Amino acid sequence: MLAAFLSVPQVQARDGWPTPPINPDRRAQLSGPLQGGTADHAKFPELQGPFATGSDVTKACLGCHTETGKHFMKNIHWTWSYVNPDTGQQLGKRYLVNNFCTNSRGNEGMCAQCHAGYGWKDESFDFSDETKIDCLVCHETTGNYYKTPNSPGNAACSVMFADRPPIDLAASAKSVDLPQRENCGTCHFYGGGGDNVKHGDLSSALKEPPRTLDVHMGVDGLNFACTACHVTNRHIWAGSRYHVISKDTEGTGQPGMRPDVATCESCHGLAPHPVNSLANFKLNDHIQSVACQACHIPEFARGGVATIVNWDWRTSGKTRDGEGYHEEGYIQGNGEHRYTYKSIKGDFTYDENVIPEYAWFDGQMRYTTIDTEFDPNAEFIEINGFSGSREDRESRIWPFKRMHTWQPYDKGRGTLVYTNLWGEDETAYWGNYDMNAAIAKGMADFGLDYSGDFGFIETLSWWPITHMVAPKESALACRDCHQPKNSRMASVEGIYLPGRDHNHWLDIIGTLLVGGTLAGIIIHSLVRIFSPKGEQE
């Protein structure tokens, strides 16, 4: 790692590293309750350096922040592990298979660039060693800091990380501050292997977004840092895509309370629209069954950065003159060219300004894990299916990104597979392009059976959309849902939606009631207008 740090380069990476420097002239981002620091870290003798490694900086940090290591090692940024308390499923990046790059497990040499620690490249990593915590990745603000893979990888891949500039660790240590959007974004904007690839609502466009892209993060608006909503308590962050609060029934709570949630209602309350009109009164009534995001995020992948919506691993492995290659075939809104084919990953399809899918959601994601056996003849396999219905009091209608992928699986056993993608040996797929050998190695490394017969299967994953909140004037209007054709709620079942749905007798009764009410009002008004003054009194 140190050698990589000291390599000399002059180029800005395309994968988000290094983080851009904080502009000293810009307005400070709002970071939640921890406003107004009481110390200037640039004045601390312990942080003057020089530092040989990132761990040396961490030791200096822990010298003052004595309990932070113990706190931090409980959070998911360190453990990459999460056991769902309701389903008992073992989740977390450390274990799951996804339908982007497929699996981090066994590929930590590459994937653990986004682990908040130093040196995780295999199962020998010591999760109890506080000095391996990477404080700088979340707190440094110079823009000189970056991370490289924890192991060399195949020569064909390692060249991607050559020629990086040296890191001034002392300057980074002295620059520490509350996390900025750029800090969180170095990993969360680039999940899945590139800018906005995975989530659809988290992209580099949010580093300096206008209010029109996100009312909370807009630099010309509230200018929230991520931690303004994802409030931290002992380095445990509010908000999780593993266990979403789909329906917040507590609202703002009492002053000084509710630090452990990142819901709209925790700030805006349970009646967020001012009750100054019949329309707003009705909008507040919608809160019971419609998530705020459904109306206030009419589209995602906005701001000129596209998201991947289809990925086809079946076409990976093609070479030219024995070497892997890539092709650029999509120009996104900000003018940047995106890869539509890579030998190491296959074909991609992008989309921008995407209208979400809508469905009832109770907050519970159910994962197809490496142990889950499924019917290979199924139309598709849901990597992370979700549940919810109109009858469930915990459910509301949520917007989702739908990700479709053709990815490898074990035909003989009907399970997903771990694939050895990153490595220096001859089975690593990224460099040698032998999928069968890569799967055999990926499974064997963790004592898992593999039939030796692989195929490709269609998978779906679902991503609740909750960022890129548009200004209220751009939110959905009534007609966007309450219309017979092209209703946003066309696929939502279990409800009678006026305008979208029609029932002959119900429509007649409703018409009579409305007509009768109007007639009564008109008749009453006419009686009052034309009645002699004495009789009105």
Side-chain angles (χ1 to χ4, degrees):
M1 175 70 81
L2 176 61
F5 281 175
L6 297 177
S7 59
V8 183
Q10 301 297 328
V11 296
Q12 171 77 27
R14 297 184 63 176
D15 58 0
W17 303 100
T19 56
I22 301 300
N23 181 349
D25 297 326
R26 77 178 188 184
R27 190 159 60 94
Q29 295 178 24
L30 181 63
S31 300
L34 296 176
Q35 297 300 311
T38 57
D40 181 352
H41 287 78
K43 298 178 180 177
F44 281 52
E46 295 86 347
L47 299 182
Q48 301 307 308
F51 300 103
T53 68
S55 284
D56 290 339
V57 178
T58 301
K59 292 173 186 174
C61 299
L62 295 174
C64 294
H65 301 277
T66 57
E67 304 308 303
T68 301
K70 300 178 182 65
H71 298 160
F72 188 82
M73 287 193 292
K74 296 178 180 178
N75 86 54
I76 200 168
H77 290 82
W78 176 256
T79 64
W80 278 20
S81 174
Y82 176 82
V83 176
N84 187 311
D86 298 323
T87 67
Q89 278 195 306
Q90 174 63 68
L91 307 176
K93 293 180 184 295
R94 193 175 175 184
Y95 301 99
L96 288 176
V97 177
N98 61 67
N99 63 349
F100 296 90
C101 291
T102 70
N103 54 285
S104 300
R105 196 171 198 190
N107 299 305
E108 291 87 355
M110 170 65 178
C111 300
Q113 282 184 98
C114 277
H115 178 245
Y118 294 114
W120 183 9
K121 61 182 179 180
D122 54 36
E123 292 295 292
S124 67
F125 183 75
D126 185 0
F127 285 90
S128 66
D129 185 352
E130 294 182 3
T131 68
K132 299 300 183 186
I133 295 170
D134 183 355
C135 306
L136 293 178
V137 71
C138 298
H139 291 283
E140 87 92 35
T141 61
T142 67
N144 290 320
Y145 189 72
Y146 62 87
K147 298 178 76 170
T148 54
N150 295 315
S151 63
N154 188 286
C157 293
S158 58
V159 296
M160 295 189 295
F161 303 95
D163 299 332
R164 293 293 181 90
I167 298 175
D168 185 341
L169 290 171
S172 292
K174 289 185 287 186
S175 78
V176 297
D177 202 340
L178 294 173
Q180 307 290 296
R181 288 189 299 272
E182 294 85 345
N183 295 102
C184 305
T186 50
C187 283
H188 291 283
F189 293 164
Y190 297 88
D195 195 354
N196 204 22
V197 164
K198 181 190 290 184
H199 295 289
D201 63 346
L202 287 173
S203 78
S204 62
L206 294 174
K207 290 179 181 175
E208 295 287 330
R211 179 178 175 274
T212 52
L213 178 58
D214 189 291
V215 292
H216 300 115
M217 292 185 265
V219 294
D220 52 346
L222 296 171
N223 200 23
F224 279 6
C226 304
T227 51
C229 294
H230 297 276
V231 178
T232 308
N233 183 1
R234 298 188 176 193
H235 277 86
I236 305 295
W237 286 266
S240 167
R241 300 222 191 203
Y242 287 128
H243 198 181
V244 178
I245 299 175
S246 63
K247 186 176 185 178
D248 187 342
T249 57
E250 297 184 41
T252 54
Q254 299 299 315
M257 297 182 65
R258 306 220 72 200
D260 59 340
V261 295
T263 63
C264 304
E265 292 86 349
S266 66
C267 284
H268 296 282
L270 300 177
H273 306 95
V275 187
N276 54 14
S277 68
L278 181 60
N280 279 355
F281 179 81
K282 192 59 184 173
L283 285 176
N284 282 338
D285 186 47
H286 278 57
I287 298 299
Q288 293 299 314
S289 55
V290 182
C292 306
Q293 293 89 335
C295 295
H296 289 275
I297 311 178
E299 297 174 344
F300 62 89
R302 297 189 295 120
V305 182
T307 188
I308 288 182
V309 293
N310 287 289
W311 187 322
D312 193 345
W313 278 90
R314 295 176 300 176
T315 59
S316 66
K318 292 186 288 188
T319 60
R320 292 173 179 168
D321 300 324
E323 300 292 335
Y325 65 97
H326 54 257
E327 296 174 342
E328 293 179 337
Y330 184 87
I331 304 175
Q332 61 187 17
N334 65 4
E336 183 179 321
H337 292 248
R338 301 294 295 266
Y339 293 126
T340 52
Y341 179 78
K342 286 184 176 181
S343 297
I344 62 172
K345 295 181 178 180
D347 281 297
F348 317 115
T349 303
Y350 294 84
D351 202 357
E352 294 180 70
N353 305 314
V354 184
I355 293 176
E357 306 269 347
Y358 299 92
W360 291 101
F361 180 39
D362 63 4
Q364 195 69 258
M365 308 299 291
R366 290 177 168 77
Y367 284 78
T368 299
T369 68
I370 194 70
D371 302 315
T372 308
E373 295 185 8
F374 51 77
D375 178 5
N377 296 315
E379 182 180 1
F380 54 80
I381 303 300
E382 287 189 312
I383 293 289
N384 62 340
F386 58 90
S387 53
S389 70
R390 176 67 181 88
E391 291 71 31
D392 178 10
R393 296 174 62 87
E394 300 297 322
S395 295
R396 290 196 298 179
I397 299 170
W398 270 71
F400 290 88
K401 174 191 170 181
R402 175 186 184 272
M403 175 68 190
H404 171 265
T405 299
W406 281 95
Q407 68 185 91
Y409 80 108
D410 187 333
K411 289 177 65 177
R413 299 181 62 247
T415 65
L416 298 173
V417 292
Y418 288 149
T419 307
N420 180 37
L421 300 171
W422 180 267
E424 299 78 52
D425 63 278
E426 62 184 12
T427 68
Y429 189 73
W430 289 352
N432 294 296
Y433 307 115
D434 183 339
M435 184 64 77
N436 191 52
I439 295 172
K441 177 70 163 54
M443 299 293 278
D445 280 351
F446 299 97
L448 298 168
D449 294 332
Y450 171 49
S451 70
D453 185 15
F454 80 94
F456 292 90
I457 195 165
E458 288 184 274
T459 61
L460 298 179
S461 64
W462 300 94
W463 300 90
I465 297 299
T466 197
H467 306 98
M468 296 187 175
V469 178
K472 62 181 181 181
E473 56 270 22
S474 300
L476 294 185
C478 302
R479 62 181 178 278
D480 290 310
C481 299
H482 296 274
Q483 60 178 325
K485 294 182 179 179
N486 302 319
S487 167
R488 290 288 187 114
M489 299 292 140
S491 62
V492 177
E493 301 176 342
I495 53 173
Y496 181 85
L497 192 64
R500 183 197 72 171
D501 303 317
H502 293 283
N503 178 286
H504 179 70
W505 288 108
L506 191 60
D507 288 346
I508 290 178
I509 294 172
T511 302
L512 290 174
L513 288 174
V514 173
T517 302
L518 289 174
I521 293 173
I522 292 172
I523 293 171
H524 178 77
S525 299
L526 291 174
V527 169
R528 290 183 64 85
I529 291 172
F530 294 106
S531 295
K533 187 175 181 181
E535 293 184 12
Q536 288 184 28
E537 295 175 348

